[in-house]
Structures are given as structure tokens and as C-alpha cells.
Amino acid sequence: MKKEPFVTKTQLDEIVKEYPTPFHLYDEKGIRENVKALKEAFAWNKGYKEYFAVKATPNPYILNILKEYGCGCDCSSYTELLMSESVGQVGENIMFSSNDTPAEEFALADKLGAIINLDDITHIDFLEKTIGKIPETISCRYNPGGLFKISNSIMDNPGDAKYGMTTEQIFEAFKILKSKGAKEFGIHAFLASNTVTNEYYPTLARTLFEVAVKLQKETGVHIKFINLSGGVGIPYKPDQEPNDIKVIGEGVRKVYEEVLVPAGMGDVAIYTELGRFMLGPYGCLVTKAIHEKHTHKEYIGVDACAANLMRPAMYGAYHHITVVGKENEPCDHTYDVTGSLCENNDKFAIDRQLPKIDMGDLLVIHDTGAHGFSMGYNYNGRLRSAEVLLKEDGGTQLIRRAETPMDYFATFDCFPVYEELKKNTEEADKLGK
């Protein structure tokens, strides 16, 4: 089986004339079609809302596209809150889900009117001291502990996760929050990551819905929403079947009608905060082969590195690679595809079967639309790449310029040497041109 890039060789040959490699490219058409499919899958729930996980693809142009379809923002930091505000997302269009949270982040979330999702029972007093009150609408993150298993393939270990409250704690938290003036409550949980199965959300939903019924009955609170969080994944490998969001939505609906409706809780809104599912397949890293090395193994060196896409180096994650223009040629060469960092794990692929790669060939590294650019860093002084939007009409738009050396040096301006660095950088730029 093959993965087809969403961009053709003809298109890429033109795009690279304007934007030098490496860069992340996003498919506007695919993003829009996907968010419409998600909304359709959960249209049965009157209060449904998707809070896009900003950490996955923190770009205001992307946030604005999703905003057109009624999506809110799931934020976990001060700067993510600021970015969401910058595109007009305020109030209950923001879900603030963080952990080990500094006071100033709670303060900003409150100022923006965001729904605050508390990670721990001790955060109740911390929040109250920080903002001087408990908001009327509040949410708590739940962690049932133990193992979370779906069929024979997906297992995660919530008991080892740093997130969320125990069953006993969330019951106590709801009682305390109610006594302090909270009127509308939410429940949130994230129990497995990147699941490629239609069973995950319905299984998680049953766990949360059953807890919600007990919570409302025993504490007397009104549960306004249940947030299924993220975890719905994408098929990184060509032989994986993608999730069917329509089937997933229908599965959640059945559990909703089995558990919540008979308990008189048919008014509960369902929220999601998907990131990878929303953007992952609709982004790719475009890079160029610049070196080949024949030693104990066959290496292809590209002009991107782990600073542009950390997942393979950090997790050993698989990202499919297409050698543009050679899609129909036999994959009869075995390569390690590497970047230039001074780390041996800076490899996009190890022992990967690919067509013969010639210097100057463009490579598309698939499925980088979520947790790709956003996990970038500046080790070895490497600079973050540009982000480019492939528009529905086939044109392109630069939605984040590439970093320059002056961006890297900008935080040194408290030192006298800064002006010399600036001068040297400007001269180096002239030479480069």
C-alpha cells in the first residue's frame, strides 16, 4: 500500500522556487473537509463543540480556518492563550487544560473568560487564591488509574500518568467546588494516545458517562459537558486503516442514549479537543536530498533535521516518506534518511526501502501536520522552518516565515556583544545572497 502526498511534483517544483526547503506544507482543502466530517459525526448532540488542541499546530492561520466551523481552542499555556485571543477566541470558546499550572496562567485564563479544567484537587485552593473566586463554570480532569484497554491492540496506563484526579478526588472536588459557588460542571479525561480504532471514543465515553451519572446523583451538581479530549489518532503507516469519524460519532451516540438519557442527563454537551486527527495528515515536511554517504550503511542526508520534526528521534515514530516524482519506481534501495544534528538519533527513517535517491530530489515526509513544527527547537543553532498553506485554489500562502539568525540572537540584546552579532549576521546574509 502507498501513501499519496496531497501535493504533486508539478506543484512542489513551483512552490520550492518561492520557499526554500525545508518547510512544513499544509493542505487547506483537506483540513476543511475533515472538520466538516467531524461536525457531521457529532451533529446529533445539540451542544457539541470541538476545542482544537493548539499545541498540535500553533498557527493563527490554522486556528482561523477552524474557527470558521465553530471550533474553539484547547490551551495549556500562557502563550497559547494569547494566540487564541489574537484570533478572537475568548470566553467559553477557550478550554484551558493544563497541569502544574503557574498562577499567571490561571489569571490570564480567567481574564479571558476561558473554561478552566482543573488537573488536581489541590488546584482548587490555588485557583481561588490566584483569582479570588471559583468560576461558576468549572471542569475537572479525571484519571481512573489502572490500565485502559481496547480489544487486543490498544493499551495505555493511566495509573502512571501525571494527569487528573482519582475517582475519590473528583467526587470530593465537585463537592468543594459546589460549596464555593460553582454552578456548571464538566468532566474531562484523556486515557490513550493516537488510537487507530473506532472503539476508543465510545469506550472512553462509557467510562465518563457512568462516572458522570454517579457524580450528579451523589453531589447534586449539574453536569453541563463531558470532554472526551483527544486520543483519536491517524494511520502513520500505509497498511493502517484510518479511523472512521462517522462510525466513532455513532458509537458515542449509542452509549449516550444507553447511559445518560435514562439518567435524565440528555442535555449534556459533548466536547472534543482533537489535534492529531484534525491536522496530522494535512501537513507534510518538504525537504531536499543534499548528501549521500556510503559507509557501514547507506545514508541520505537531507536539509531538514530533528529540529524540524522531532518525533522520529524522540519516539522512534514512523513517518512515511515519498520521493517526489519517483512514486512508481521500485523501492529497491535501503537507506537511513538523516539530518545534520550532532546526535545519532537525528534520523527520519532507518533501513527504509525507498527508490534510488539522487541529490536534489525532493522528499515529502508525511503526517507532520500535528506535533511536527510545534515540537521544533534550536539545538545546534538550527532554525525553525517556514510554514506554508497550500490553498484550495492551488495557490500558496506563507503563514509563518522561516527563522533567521537574528531571531536566534534576539534574546541576547542585554549583552554588548549583541550589536556585533547583528553586524556579523547582516554581513553573512549579504554573502548568502
Side-chain angles (χ1 to χ4, degrees), residues 278-300:
M278 298 295 289
L279 260 295
Y282 311 107
C284 63
L285 177 58
V286 181
T287 184
K288 183 186 294 181
I290 59 172
H291 287 289
E292 56 185 324
K293 184 174 183 177
H294 315 286
T295 55
H296 305 291
K297 301 183 76 173
E298 295 294 302
Y299 295 97
I300 293 294

Side-chain angles (χ1 to χ4, degrees), residues 95-342:
M95 182 75 62
F96 183 61
S97 297
S98 65
N99 67 96
D100 192 23
T101 309
E104 61 268 21
E105 297 190 359
F106 275 140
L108 180 57
D110 177 65
K111 178 184 175 184
L112 297 178
I115 299 172
I116 293 175
N117 183 36
L118 295 175
D119 181 69
D120 188 66
I121 192 168
T122 63
H123 292 182
I124 297 173
D125 287 342
F126 186 82
L127 176 66
E128 188 174 30
K129 289 175 184 176
T130 298
I131 66 174
K133 63 182 179 181
I134 290 297
E136 289 192 358
T137 299
I138 195 80
S139 179
C140 291
R141 188 167 187 169
Y142 176 53
N143 183 335
L147 297 175
F148 184 83
K149 187 173 182 180
I150 310 169
S151 65
N152 295 316
S153 57
I154 303 294
M155 179 180 287
D156 219 319
N157 189 356
D160 277 348
K162 68 174 181 174
Y163 310 108
M165 305 181 194
T166 67
T167 302
E168 295 77 14
Q169 287 172 341
I170 198 169
F171 275 80
E172 183 64 20
F174 272 39
K175 292 173 185 175
I176 295 169
L177 289 165
K178 182 184 178 186
S179 73
K180 291 179 178 289
K183 293 183 171 56
E184 301 284 357
F185 288 75
I187 307 171
H188 169 285
F190 180 90
L191 301 185
S193 180
N194 193 38
T195 59
V196 189
T197 168
N198 296 327
E199 298 176 54
Y200 171 60
Y201 254 12
T203 305
L204 172 64
R206 185 175 296 278
T207 297
L208 291 184
F209 294 172
E210 289 174 351
V211 168
V213 170
K214 293 177 184 175
L215 275 166
Q216 186 154 300
K217 182 178 180 180
E218 294 185 24
T219 66
V221 305
H222 179 250
I223 294 178
K224 179 181 179 181
F225 65 85
I226 294 173
N227 188 339
L228 299 177
S229 186
V232 177
I234 62 172
Y236 284 98
K237 296 183 178 180
D239 59 353
Q240 289 178 298
E241 284 291 325
N243 286 318
D244 187 330
I245 198 63
K246 186 175 181 180
V247 171
I248 290 170
E250 177 63 14
V252 174
R253 183 192 66 79
K254 287 180 180 178
V255 180
Y256 189 97
E257 293 184 353
E258 288 174 16
V259 179
L260 292 182
V261 173
M265 297 174 66
D267 63 337
V268 172
I270 299 300
Y271 295 165
T272 56
E273 50 180 53
L274 298 166
R276 194 188 317 263
F277 178 80
M278 298 295 289
L279 260 295
Y282 311 107
C284 63
L285 177 58
V286 181
T287 184
K288 183 186 294 181
I290 59 172
H291 287 289
E292 56 185 324
K293 184 174 183 177
H294 315 286
T295 55
H296 305 291
K297 301 183 76 173
E298 295 294 302
Y299 295 97
I300 293 294
V302 296
D303 58 4
C305 64
N308 305 111
L309 177 64
M310 180 194 274
R311 295 185 74 253
M314 187 175 185
Y315 305 126
Y318 180 93
H319 281 265
H320 198 66
I321 295 176
T322 294
V323 183
V324 179
K326 298 182 177 180
E327 292 87 345
N328 297 319
E329 294 188 14
C331 295
D332 53 3
H333 285 63
T334 303
Y335 296 116
D336 282 14
V337 180
T338 77
S340 58
L341 295 187
C342 299

